[in-house]
Amino acid sequence: MSEKQQKLVLSIIDFLNESITNGTVKADDREGLEVAVQCIGEAFGVDPSNDEQALRLSVKPATLQTIFDVYLKTKEKVDGGSQSQTSTSSSLPKGPSAEDKAKAEKLKQSGNALMSSKEYDEALEAYTEAISFDSGNPIYYSNRAAAYSSKGDHLSAVGDAELALAADPTFVKAYHRLGHAQYSLGDYKAAADAFERGLKLDPTNAGLKSGLQNAKERISEDDDEGPPPLVPDDARGSARAGGGGGGGGMPDLASMMNNPQMMAMAQQMMANGGLANLMGNPAVANMMNRVQSGDVPSMEEIMSDPALRNLASQFGAGR
């Protein structure tokens, strides 16, 4: 079983244990859920009481709930953006007239001026309107990507940079926009790939060279990192009880959404389908819903449900 799978299992166990301690689960149902937690841990070789293993597998300060919330927010944004772009593209003429091109160029210049004055929302509107007049010009998508990145919305910047490259794969600046956005999301390998693709077209581009060097340094740092150092029990206890953010010392959702690494994690989980597949499992979804509502299934119910009984083998399929 991979470490990634065990991290997910530990997050599920932490979620269930938290449901026991925070009063979500009725007192009469706690014993049954505690037995279920023990069975899940044994099935996947995860022991939350093993401090060394818990430190190695922990994704804190994230939790299963916050990661899932980020996933839903990201999915809504991606789906909404795709629908908007599809709707816009379908309504545009295939060949813009000279008049439309002139209007688009004027709007682009207006957007550039707004960018200079750091009026990013207004700049986004100007570039979007320019695209509505001339959807085949990669500059407008690339400039809008820069506006999104300036606002910290690097996920949308990635989408626009890719649209610019779809319009013109030789437009070098779009590779820089794409690499910058991917780097800001914490996806250093994707960033390096974007910079390298741009350098194939413009080998002397200083910005692309610098971006590639920075991305490779971060990749090297990540590869060199070993397991997290062991923390003394008293220090670990303080960290768990630390203040700030949301309830229980955890950061609130807004801070999680502004964390580039969390956004990158959400993207990766969306891309490989891991989180969607887990939450799409009817057995898991039903169990989570019942736990959240305080209606914890008994062990007899769990063991009599073929889907839940086979969950362990489904997780271990990649061994």
Side-chain angles (χ1 to χ4, degrees):
M1 180 178 300
S2 71
E3 184 173 290
K4 183 183 294 185
Q5 290 173 321
Q6 288 187 315
K7 286 184 176 182
L8 179 57
V9 171
L10 179 61
S11 296
I12 293 173
I13 291 175
D14 286 343
F15 168 78
L16 296 176
N17 282 331
E18 180 67 18
S19 298
I20 294 173
T21 58
N22 66 11
T24 300
V25 179
K26 294 182 294 186
D28 293 343
D29 296 321
R30 289 179 182 175
E31 184 176 354
L33 188 57
E34 288 171 351
V35 173
V37 167
Q38 184 177 358
C39 291
I40 292 172
E42 291 177 354
F44 299 109
V46 175
D47 180 8
S49 65
N50 183 324
D51 289 343
E52 183 176 356
Q53 186 188 53
L55 279 172
R56 178 170 55 84
L57 299 179
S58 176
V59 296
K60 292 181 178 180
T63 65
L64 181 64
Q65 185 65 58
T66 56
I67 292 174
F68 188 53
D69 287 341
V70 170
Y71 162 76
L72 290 177
K73 290 284 186 181
T74 305
K75 187 174 186 300
E76 288 173 4
K77 181 177 292 186
V78 172
D79 290 348
S82 298
Q83 292 172 3
S84 175
Q85 290 163 3
T86 300
S87 175
T88 300
S89 300
S90 63
S91 64
L92 293 175
K94 292 184 178 180
S97 64
E99 182 181 358
D100 285 343
K101 287 186 176 182
K103 290 179 180 178
E105 188 63 20
K106 186 175 181 179
L107 286 163
K108 183 205 75 173
Q109 293 172 0
S110 175
N112 292 349
L114 290 165
M115 284 287 289
S116 297
S117 58
K118 298 184 179 181
E119 298 176 73
Y120 303 128
D121 288 328
E122 292 78 4
L124 283 170
E125 292 178 3
Y127 294 136
T128 299
E129 193 172 353
I131 291 170
S132 72
F133 285 107
D134 185 2
S135 62
N137 193 321
I139 296 175
Y140 305 150
Y141 294 109
S142 178
N143 286 10
R144 193 169 68 174
Y148 276 126
S149 280
S150 296
K151 286 189 59 178
D153 186 357
H154 302 294
L155 183 62
S156 295
V158 168
D160 267 355
E162 289 177 341
L163 286 173
L165 292 172
D168 182 2
T170 66
F171 187 56
V172 174
K173 185 170 288 187
Y175 289 103
H176 190 278
R177 306 283 196 219
L178 179 60
H180 171 76
Q182 295 283 24
Y183 185 94
S184 299
L185 288 170
D187 193 345
Y188 306 121
K189 291 183 179 179
D193 178 70
F195 292 132
E196 287 176 340
R197 288 161 61 195
L199 284 169
K200 288 180 180 179
L201 298 170
D202 185 2
T204 62
N205 189 295
L208 292 172
K209 285 183 176 181
S210 176
L212 178 59
Q213 180 179 351
N214 291 336
K216 285 185 173 180
E217 287 176 357
R218 295 305 297 267
I219 293 171
S220 178
E221 290 173 5
D222 289 348
D223 290 342
D224 290 341
E225 286 182 358
L230 292 177
V231 181
D233 290 342
D234 55 342
R236 189 181 306 120
S238 299
R240 288 174 178 169
M250 300 301 294
D252 58 21
L253 180 58
S255 64
M256 296 292 293
M257 289 297 294
N258 289 327
N259 186 319
Q261 292 183 339
M262 284 304 303
M263 292 299 293
M265 183 187 299
Q267 275 193 302
Q268 183 177 1
M269 295 186 78
M270 287 177 63
N272 62 30
L275 184 58
N277 289 338
L278 174 68
M279 293 305 174
N281 186 308
V284 175
N286 181 57
M287 182 176 180
M288 290 297 186
N289 288 335
R290 292 184 63 179
V291 170
Q292 286 281 46
S293 63
D295 178 22
V296 180
S298 66
M299 281 304 299
E300 182 178 356
E301 288 181 87
I302 293 174
M303 298 310 295
S304 64
D305 187 331
L308 286 175
R309 193 169 58 247
N310 291 332
L311 185 57
S313 62
Q314 293 172 6
F315 264 88
R319 284 184 291 180

